[in-house]
Amino acid sequence: MNKLFVFTIILVFFIISTGSFKYYTLVIGVIVSAITTYLFESSIVKKTLRLYDVLKLLYLFKYIVYFVKAEIHAHLELVEIILFNKPIKPAIVAVPYHVESDYGVTLIALTVTNTPGTIVLNIDTNSKLMYIHWINASTFNPDEARLIITSGFEKLVEKIFG
């Protein structure tokens, strides 16, 4: 059960990071995920998984759907900026996060970075802040920026990683 869970998560991350659903990408993803699971499963998962833990895969699926929607919205915003010469307000914004898990913080940071128009530059674990370069900052208030950029991801990550 542990191996299947770890394999699935690694494969999903592989597909998201490559951004491709082509046959050869999926084959390579399955091979890389299988090898990684075989080598590192015991160090990634510290306890035996229960059925409840496997249900977290549903939340992972919801996360992926939410990410795809955010990705489409961000692409459309960038298209609008490019095609209509819309003025931008680039800024580096300190965005607080409330996730406790290192895996959760990493997932949020990778997702924000993969979304066009935002890049996580630094994560300050002491003050629990992500410094995010935002191509079109609509606010400089950290709490408002969190609501716009990361809060939707955080809600799902808390359900995935606890």
Side-chain angles (χ1 to χ4, degrees):
M1 189 67 85
N2 286 0
K3 289 187 183 344
L4 177 63
F5 183 74
V6 172
F7 172 82
T8 305
I9 288 178
I10 293 171
L11 181 60
V12 167
F13 282 129
F14 184 87
I15 291 169
I16 289 172
S17 65
T18 60
S20 174
F21 292 101
K22 295 182 179 178
Y23 177 73
Y24 63 87
T25 305
L26 293 176
V27 170
I28 291 171
V30 167
I31 293 169
V32 168
S33 299
I35 292 170
T36 305
T37 299
Y38 177 75
L39 294 174
F40 299 107
E41 179 263 337
S42 62
S43 63
I44 293 173
V45 179
K46 301 293 184 194
K47 64 178 184 169
T48 302
L49 294 176
R50 301 166 299 191
L51 182 59
Y52 173 76
D53 295 324
V54 176
L55 293 177
K56 291 180 180 186
L57 286 174
L58 293 175
Y59 288 112
L60 182 60
F61 178 74
K62 284 184 176 183
Y63 189 91
I64 292 168
V65 169
Y66 186 83
F67 170 68
V68 169
K69 287 179 182 177
E71 183 92 5
I72 291 169
H73 176 55
H75 277 283
L76 291 175
E77 184 179 354
L78 285 180
V79 166
E80 184 180 341
I81 289 169
I82 294 166
L83 292 180
F84 301 111
N85 202 21
K86 182 180 172 186
I88 59 172
K89 295 181 285 186
I92 297 173
V93 183
V95 177
Y97 65 89
H98 305 296
V99 176
E100 297 295 326
S101 162
D102 289 341
Y103 293 123
V105 173
T106 303
L107 179 59
I108 292 169
L110 289 172
T111 304
V112 168
T113 298
N114 281 333
T115 306
T118 53
I119 299 173
V120 175
L121 302 171
N122 188 26
I123 299 173
D124 184 350
T125 55
N126 294 328
S127 60
K128 296 188 82 167
L129 291 171
M130 289 185 189
Y131 292 93
I132 300 175
H133 180 270
W134 193 2
I135 196 168
N136 198 16
S138 58
T139 182
F140 297 103
N141 179 304
D143 293 323
E144 289 175 9
R146 178 182 174 272
L147 287 174
I148 295 168
I149 300 173
T150 62
S151 70
F153 295 119
E154 278 192 58
K155 290 174 187 173
L156 292 169
V157 161
E158 287 173 349
K159 292 180 180 186
I160 296 169
F161 293 110

